[in-house]
Amino acid sequence: MDLNLNLQHYINGKWVGANSERTRTIINPFNQETIAVVPEGDETEAKEAIAAARETFDNGEWPSTPATERGAIVTKIAELIERDKEELANLESLDTGKTVEESRGDMEDIAGVFRYYGELADKNGGELIDSPVPNSISKVVHEPVGVCGQITPWNYPLLQASWKLAPALATGNTLVMKPSEITPLTTIKVFELMEEAGVPAGVANLVLGAGATVGNELSSSHDVDLISFTGGIETGKKIMQTASTNVKKLALELGGKNPNVIFADADFELAVDQALNGVFFHAGQICSAGTRLIVEESIHDEFVQALVERVKNFKLGNGFDEDTQMGPLISAEHLEKVEKYVQAGIEEGATVAIGGKRPEDPELQNGFFFLPTIFKDCTTDMSVVQDEGFGPVITVEKFTKEEEAVKLANDSIYGLAGGVFTNDIAKAERCAAKMRMGTVWINEFNLYFPHAPWGGFKQSGIGRELGKLGIEEYTETKHIFQNLKPEPINWF
Ligand code: NAD
């Protein structure tokens, strides 16, 4: 298949590695067909890319480029993404199996992220602060952190990359990005667009390869000043350890097991609809998926029944078919993981209300499909309630009192996001205030936008992406004090 794409690493302004002997085959999860063969980098390419980013940062040209100019380049990237939106959406769907309609939406969001940080680039000036010394100037300025290692997952390959690339470039950092080895295609394409937009050589570098080699080199290298990582909790913990070798700054966006609390006084149809969207979008492979439903007892049975009726009609299939609502999981390995997760739920006593297995439809046998699954009779101690399954699986628990609902919602090592559905505004606000997570949606689920910060409480991560806080992750703060009328102290 001709993708018209540089299937290579991008290091110091050059596309390299096309003839590498080490390669990786990228497959379409819908039918396991080969989409591309890319070079497989390791520590060697990672070191070269880090050296290029270090040299480019230390020579000072990019960090001292006026922020307005850097912002204009970032805005230009947004425009190029909009221009090539259809090509990018097709690539993303080929690589991940998600529906093209969803990928188109992703591309709009991604352009929005670049646009937001392009516009914010020159609005991050410092401030003068009051000085205790007469005739002096005391100012606080924000400077780029330096060389950033950026590691992304496979579920939203380009969206997650945009949350890292745009603020890093806007603030004058240099970077080395390692996309997930399973889904590198849209990231490659965006590096082409960044080159076209005028990002200077050495500023943004791309190395394709595995976490244990390229990723590990980024997190352990003493020439990298910051690691921004999005992925699973166990990988995040490993990265914290390796990153400690030179006390790197860390930004971690880890997993979630996100509660969605449905009160009896909620708009029933709205809550059913949003509960389904909240979890089955992209086959549940979303860090913020509302996989943990907590439903008031008086409506529990009716609510579960309504979910089941809607799930019965879900259309699974090829993301390129217009009527497909849910695509496959990302890989054979992940499908097996989800299957084991569901099996554990059954063994622990949860009842499968629908799904619970692979589909039997002959047309889906070449893809990594799993049926949308609803577990009822769940209790908080079950692994399906506590662990992030990262598949199309909802668990349903019951509650009777508001405090109990909040307690259940908070009973997790994660704290990424959660939702509350009720028509009682005061109750919604009380719950939102007590829910220990980085985002709480009221009568909504899974909505995010560039100017709202995103990140987790507890083990869901460290730091925030998006919004103004997203830019702060990529800056160091410096206090500069100048005495305009210095006098000797005469102490010694
Ligand atoms: P993963 O942790 O397996 O891999 C993520 C990235 O880390 C990949 O690029 C991988 O190659 C790399 N990696 C693996 N081992 C590494 C190591 N030792 N050192 C450095 N890098 C290493 O995660 P995944 O399976 O790709 O993605 C799914 C996970 O991502 C889920 O847990 C999901 O919740 C999380 N996620 C979180 C957010 C968020 O915003 N909080 C967003 C998307 C995905």
Side-chain angles (χ1 to χ4, degrees):
M1 182 180 297
D2 183 15
L3 296 176
N4 193 21
L5 203 60
N6 278 304
L7 297 172
Q8 302 179 67
H9 314 290
Y10 183 67
I11 301 176
N12 211 11
K14 294 198 172 61
W15 291 96
V16 293
N19 302 322
S20 168
E21 282 177 8
R22 288 167 283 126
T23 56
R24 182 183 290 267
T25 302
I26 308 296
I27 60 162
N28 179 345
F30 169 69
N31 53 17
Q32 303 188 49
E33 281 176 9
T34 297
I35 318 168
V37 178
V38 297
E40 173 79 0
D42 62 17
E43 291 83 353
T44 314
E45 288 83 359
K47 283 192 169 102
E48 284 170 23
I50 292 167
R54 185 79 264 164
E55 160 62 24
T56 309
F57 186 81
D58 291 346
N59 80 26
E61 230 168 272
W62 177 248
S64 57
T65 297
T68 312
E69 272 179 43
R70 287 198 308 261
I73 292 177
V74 175
T75 303
K76 178 79 185 161
I77 300 168
E79 289 163 8
L80 296 176
I81 289 168
E82 279 157 358
R83 183 194 71 189
D84 292 350
K85 178 180 139 185
E86 204 54 29
E87 182 186 349
L88 280 160
N90 285 342
L91 274 179
E92 198 76 306
S93 286
L94 268 180
D95 215 354
T96 61
K98 68 170 73 172
T99 66
V100 184
E101 198 183 337
E102 190 189 336
S103 293
R104 287 190 188 116
D106 287 358
M107 295 313 142
E108 281 163 22
D109 290 349
I110 290 160
V113 170
F114 278 98
R115 210 171 269 289
Y116 173 72
Y117 283 114
E119 284 167 12
L120 210 61
D122 60 4
K123 293 169 193 68
N124 192 36
E127 57 172 348
L128 283 178
I129 57 170
D130 193 48
S131 165
V133 180
N135 296 309
S136 69
I137 299 172
S138 194
K139 62 179 179 179
V140 176
V141 295
H142 305 296
E143 297 182 356
V145 173
V147 175
C148 306
Q150 304 187 321
I151 302 174
T152 53
W154 48 258
N155 64 332
Y156 279 84
L158 193 51
L159 188 72
Q160 297 302 327
S162 72
W163 294 8
K164 301 182 190 306
L165 292 169
L169 293 173
T171 43
N173 294 276
T174 62
L175 61 97
V176 180
M177 174 161 278
K178 189 206 91 62
S180 166
E181 55 274 38
I182 317 178
T183 55
L185 301 183
T186 47
T187 307
I188 295 176
K189 174 74 190 169
V190 138
F191 269 74
E192 291 184 357
L193 299 183
M194 293 199 299
E195 189 180 29
E196 185 181 343
V199 175
V203 169
N205 303 276
L206 171 71
V207 181
L208 309 173
T213 51
V214 180
N216 186 59
E217 185 60 35
L218 286 177
S219 57
S220 58
S221 168
H222 285 217
D223 281 326
V224 174
D225 302 300
L226 172 150
I227 282 284
S228 175
F229 167 77
T230 302
I233 210 164
E234 291 312 318
T235 319
K237 286 181 191 170
K238 265 191 218 157
I239 288 177
M240 279 182 95
Q241 280 177 347
T242 41
S244 71
T245 55
N246 67 329
V247 195
K248 284 182 188 65
K249 280 189 75 169
L250 267 183
L252 300 177
E253 295 286 350
L254 306 178
K257 177 73 191 172
N258 310 288
N260 189 2
V261 177
I262 317 287
F263 284 97
D265 61 8
D267 177 331
F268 189 87
E269 290 307 322
L270 173 87
V272 168
D273 186 71
Q274 293 261 359
L276 294 169
N277 272 307
V279 71
F280 293 120
F281 221 56
H282 195 18
Q285 302 168 114
I286 308 185
C287 55
S288 56
T291 48
R292 192 174 172 194
L293 279 184
I294 300 171
V295 182
E296 193 159 352
E297 191 163 23
S298 58
I299 58 161
H300 171 274
D301 294 354
E302 195 191 345
F303 199 84
V304 172
Q305 195 49 41
L307 293 174
V308 168
E309 289 307 319
R310 293 260 303 252
V311 166
K312 276 182 193 162
N313 299 322
F314 274 19
K315 171 85 176 82
L316 274 58
N318 187 349
F320 285 88
D321 293 342
E322 262 188 18
D323 57 346
T324 295
Q325 291 168 301
M326 206 177 98
L329 298 177
I330 192 69
S331 64
E333 192 191 357
H334 190 55
L335 174 59
E336 258 175 50
K337 220 171 112 191
V338 170
E339 207 164 30
K340 279 193 190 139
Y341 173 85
V342 167
Q343 198 49 42
I346 295 168
E347 281 161 21
E348 284 171 321
T351 308
V352 176
I354 190 164
K357 55 181 184 180
R358 298 182 191 207
E360 280 153 21
D361 182 344
E363 290 191 8
L364 302 179
Q365 297 311 309
N366 289 332
F368 307 125
F369 284 92
F370 198 82
L371 287 174
T373 298
I374 299 175
F375 270 127
K376 58 180 187 175
D377 303 325
C378 296
T379 51
T380 188
D381 54 320
M382 292 176 175
S383 62
V384 272
V385 173
Q386 289 298 332
D387 299 344
E388 183 190 42
F390 224 55
V393 184
I394 309 188
T395 60
V396 190
E397 295 160 83
K398 287 181 201 168
F399 72 93
T400 48
K401 295 219 166 64
E402 182 183 324
E403 308 80 71
E404 189 191 355
V406 171
K407 196 166 169 223
L408 287 172
N410 284 334
D411 182 4
S412 171
I413 60 164
Y414 294 105
L416 189 58
V420 185
F421 283 80
T422 172
N423 278 328
D424 179 337
I425 299 168
K427 184 157 70 178
E429 290 292 339
R430 278 196 306 272
C431 290
K434 287 186 198 143
M435 285 163 73
R436 303 265 306 141
M437 42 216 73
T439 297
V440 177
W441 293 289
I442 298 173
N443 294 329
E444 178 65 65
F445 211 94
N446 255 345
L447 181 77
Y448 56 88
F449 38 89
H451 39 294
W454 179 258
F457 282 28
K458 303 197 235 173
Q459 295 188 36
S460 283
I462 299 176
R464 292 291 178 270
E465 292 191 303
L466 298 182
K468 288 186 188 155
L469 289 175
I471 222 161
E472 285 176 20
E473 294 285 352
Y474 286 95
T475 54
E476 287 280 20
T477 299
K478 183 183 279 177
H479 175 219
I480 301 177
F481 178 84
Q482 183 176 182
N483 196 332
L484 298 168
K485 208 173 162 198
E487 284 173 14
I489 295 171
N490 288 328
W491 180 295
F492 298 106

